[in-house]
Amino acid sequence: AGKSTFINALLGSVFSSVSIDSETTVLTKYRYSEKGNYIKLSYYKTHEWDALWQSVLRANQNSIRNDRGDFLSEFNRLSADEMKTQLLNRNEDVFYPSSEFELKEIVSKCLSCDSQYHYFVKEAEIGLATYTMPKNVVIVDALGLDDPVSYRVDLSNEYLLKSNIVLLCIKADNAQLSSHELKEYADLFSSVKDAQQIYIVGTQYDIPDNFTKYWTENSYPEYVKQFSAKSYYNSTNSIENRLLHVSAWYYNIIQKAKTDVTFWENEYNVDYLAEILCRTLGTTVAYQYGTDAISLKKCLEEHFDKIEAITNLPNVSNYIVVGPIRDFDRTSLNDFKNIYQNICNRVRGTYNQNYSRPSSELTTRMIELDSKIARKHHDDELEINSIKVLIKSLENKD
C-alpha cells in the first residue's frame, strides 16, 4: 500500500505530482542519469504474454485483489487487444523527454492503468538527472505481494531476491493484520538472504482520526508484537530498529504548495491544504490566520517545518540513506573480497592438486634459469664497472 506515492516523495519534485495508479502493474526502476532524463520500456515476448495470460485466467477470484476480474474487464474496456500486435515482441523503446512536463506525459501514457500500453510493458526504467538518492542506488517499484497474477509476482520476486534493501510498505491505518497478510509477509522473510535487509514502512498513517496517536498506541505496538515472532525478525530489537511510518501524500502536497505558485490557483488544492493544516496543527492554530488562500499560505510558511516533521518523510529518507545505503559500498566491497577469496582458494586448490609433486624436469629447468639469471647479473656488473673506469679516465684528461 502506498508504494508509488512513497517513492515519488523519496525521488523529490519530478514525480511528486504524478499519480500512476494505486496499484502498480509494471515493475519500474528509478536510477540516476548523468545524461539527462530518459525512459526505457521493454515489452513482453509472445511466450511471456501467453504465460501471463494463463496466470490471469488462473488467478484466485477470492483473493484480496480480484485481479482476474479487474484485469479482464479493464483489458476489454480499454480495447487493449488492439495494441497487442503492435507491442508484443517490440524492441526496447528509449525516450529522451525535453522537459519535466513531457517526462510526466510519457509516464502517464505508458504506465498508467488507464492506458492500453501498460498491459504489454514488461518493465520500465526511468533515469533522472535530478536524483535525491545516492547515485549508485537503484529504486525498484515492485508489484504488491497480494497480486494473484503469478507471472507478474515471479518477475517482481526476482528483484526482491537480488535487492540489498527491501522496504515493505504496509497500510498503517489498520493495526490488525489478517492471517493472509501475515503469511505473505512470512513468505517474503523466508525468501530473502537476511531478514535484516527488510524495513517495514507504515504508509498512509495519516488516515485515522488523531493519526499520530493511533500510530503510537495501536499500529506501532501491534507491528512490534507480530514481527518479533520467529517467522519474521525473531527479535523485538530488530523490528523496533526497522519499523518506520510515513505520510508521503501529505509530504508531496505541502512540497507542491511550497514550490508551485499555480497550486494556489486551484480551489480544490486550497481546500485540501486547509484540511491538512487542521489535521496536523489543529483547527485553532490553522484558522487563526484565516481561511482564504493567502492566510493558509502564510500558515503553511510559518509552520512548514513542523508539518514536514509530522509526515516523517525526511526522517525516513535520512534513516534509509545514513543506514543501509550508506553501508552499501562497504557491503559490496566485502562481497567482492569474498568472491576474490573464493577464486584464489579454487586456484590454489587446483595448483596444489596438480603440482604437489613437481617433476624432476621442472626442477632442473628452474635451476638452469636461476644460473642464467646469476650469470647475466655478473656480466652486467662487469660492464657497468668498465664504463665507470672509462668515464673516470675521460674526466682526468679534462
Side-chain angles (χ1 to χ4, degrees):
K3 292 186 285 82
S4 297
T5 304
F6 177 44
I7 289 175
N8 287 342
L10 285 177
L11 291 174
S13 61
V14 172
F15 283 94
S16 62
S17 61
V18 175
S19 176
I20 295 176
D21 195 83
S22 59
E23 295 179 358
T24 300
T25 57
V26 177
L27 187 140
T28 307
K29 297 185 293 186
Y30 299 89
R31 69 191 320 151
Y32 169 71
S33 170
E34 63 179 7
K35 297 181 179 180
N37 298 334
Y38 72 85
I39 299 177
K40 182 191 298 182
L41 303 176
S42 61
Y43 302 91
Y44 287 111
K45 306 300 182 185
T46 299
H47 70 278
E48 294 173 327
W49 175 258
D50 291 342
L52 183 146
W53 192 260
Q54 288 302 313
S55 68
V56 170
L57 298 179
R58 292 192 303 267
N60 180 8
Q61 296 192 57
N62 297 319
S63 65
I64 294 175
R65 283 172 49 188
N66 179 13
D67 270 32
R68 179 184 178 193
D70 291 346
F71 190 107
L72 292 176
S73 62
E74 289 299 294
F75 187 86
N76 292 328
R77 182 182 70 83
L78 295 171
S79 300
D81 198 56
E82 297 174 357
M83 302 294 294
K84 185 175 177 180
T85 304
Q86 178 182 341
L87 297 179
L88 283 188
N89 303 306
R90 182 170 176 150
N91 292 331
E92 284 186 343
D93 279 327
V94 184
F95 303 96
Y96 297 93
S98 58
S99 65
E100 182 177 312
F101 177 77
E102 186 180 347
L103 173 68
K104 295 175 182 179
E105 278 196 325
I106 298 173
V107 169
S108 179
K109 174 185 176 182
C110 300
L111 304 184
S112 169
C113 285
D114 292 327
S115 164
Q116 297 171 312
Y117 266 79
H118 85 275
Y119 288 101
F120 306 101
V121 177
K122 179 181 178 181
E123 184 179 301
E125 178 178 301
I126 300 178
L128 300 172
T130 303
Y131 196 62
T132 54
M133 292 287 106
K135 294 179 180 179
N136 60 340
V137 171
V138 178
I139 297 177
V140 180
D141 189 0
L143 275 65
L145 295 177
D146 60 346
D147 190 322
V149 181
S150 59
Y151 190 87
R152 297 194 303 203
V153 174
D154 292 342
L155 289 176
S156 189
N157 285 346
E158 289 180 12
Y159 279 91
L160 287 177
L161 297 178
K162 293 188 292 185
S163 298
N164 297 86
I165 305 164
V166 177
L167 303 178
L168 174 58
C169 296
I170 301 176
K171 195 174 179 182
D173 65 324
N174 186 358
Q176 300 300 317
L177 300 175
S178 69
S179 58
H180 177 79
E181 290 172 310
L182 290 171
K183 181 183 181 305
E184 288 180 334
Y185 302 150
D187 290 343
L188 170 64
F189 273 78
S190 66
S191 65
V192 298
K193 291 178 292 186
D194 184 358
Q196 307 305 311
Q197 296 172 251
I198 301 177
Y199 289 75
I200 296 176
V201 183
T203 57
Q204 302 177 2
Y205 99 107
D206 52 80
I207 292 177
D209 294 333
N210 201 351
F211 57 91
T212 55
K213 182 179 180 181
Y214 185 87
W215 170 261
T216 303
E217 297 182 358
N218 295 279
S219 300
Y220 182 86
E222 182 64 20
Y223 292 173
V224 169
K225 174 186 173 183
Q226 294 288 356
F227 289 102
S228 297
K230 186 176 181 180
S231 299
Y232 310 100
Y233 293 106
N234 195 29
S235 164
T236 300
N237 184 60
S238 291
I239 173 61
E240 288 178 341
N241 291 332
R242 287 168 174 77
L243 179 56
L244 309 165
H245 63 281
V246 68
S247 171
W249 182 248
Y250 275 14
Y251 177 84
N252 289 337
I253 293 294
I254 63 172
Q255 290 291 336
K256 188 171 178 60
K258 181 180 180 181
T259 59
D260 186 354
V261 294
T262 63
F263 175 90
W264 300 95
E265 298 172 2
N266 187 309
E267 187 176 341
Y268 172 81
N269 288 344
V270 175
D271 290 342
Y272 195 78
L273 182 66
E275 179 186 338
I276 294 175
L277 295 176
C278 289
R279 298 198 72 212
T280 53
L281 303 175
T283 304
T284 304
V285 174
Y287 283 162
Q288 72 177 353
Y289 291 83
T291 58
D292 59 284
I294 295 176
S295 300
L296 293 174
K297 186 176 182 180
K298 182 179 180 181
C299 178
L300 177 66
E301 290 172 350
E302 295 189 5
H303 297 277
F304 184 86
D305 291 344
K306 181 178 180 179
I307 301 170
E308 186 181 54
I310 290 174
T311 70
N312 206 41
L313 191 284
N315 180 55
V316 171
S317 179
N318 183 62
Y319 191 91
I320 294 170
V321 171
V322 302
I325 289 181
R326 177 199 57 193
D327 297 332
F328 174 78
D329 287 336
R330 185 173 61 190
T331 303
S332 298
L333 180 60
N334 287 334
D335 288 343
F336 282 121
K337 287 171 63 178
N338 290 335
I339 293 172
Y340 174 75
Q341 190 62 53
N342 288 335
I343 294 173
C344 290
N345 290 339
R346 289 185 182 184
V347 172
R348 193 177 298 115
T350 303
Y351 177 85
N352 291 336
Q353 180 180 353
N354 294 329
Y355 302 103
S356 56
R357 286 185 248 176
S359 66
S360 58
E361 181 182 356
L362 180 61
T363 303
T364 302
R365 289 183 178 180
M366 292 299 293
I367 293 173
E368 291 176 353
L369 181 60
D370 286 341
S371 178
K372 289 181 179 180
I373 292 173
R375 286 199 303 271
K376 184 69 169 74
H377 282 170
H378 178 70
D379 294 343
D380 288 345
E381 288 180 3
L382 291 177
E383 186 174 353
I384 290 172
N385 288 334
S386 65
I387 291 173
K388 287 181 178 178
V389 171
L390 177 61
I391 292 174
K392 189 172 182 179
S393 65
L394 291 173
E395 289 176 345
N396 291 337
K397 288 182 178 181
D398 292 340

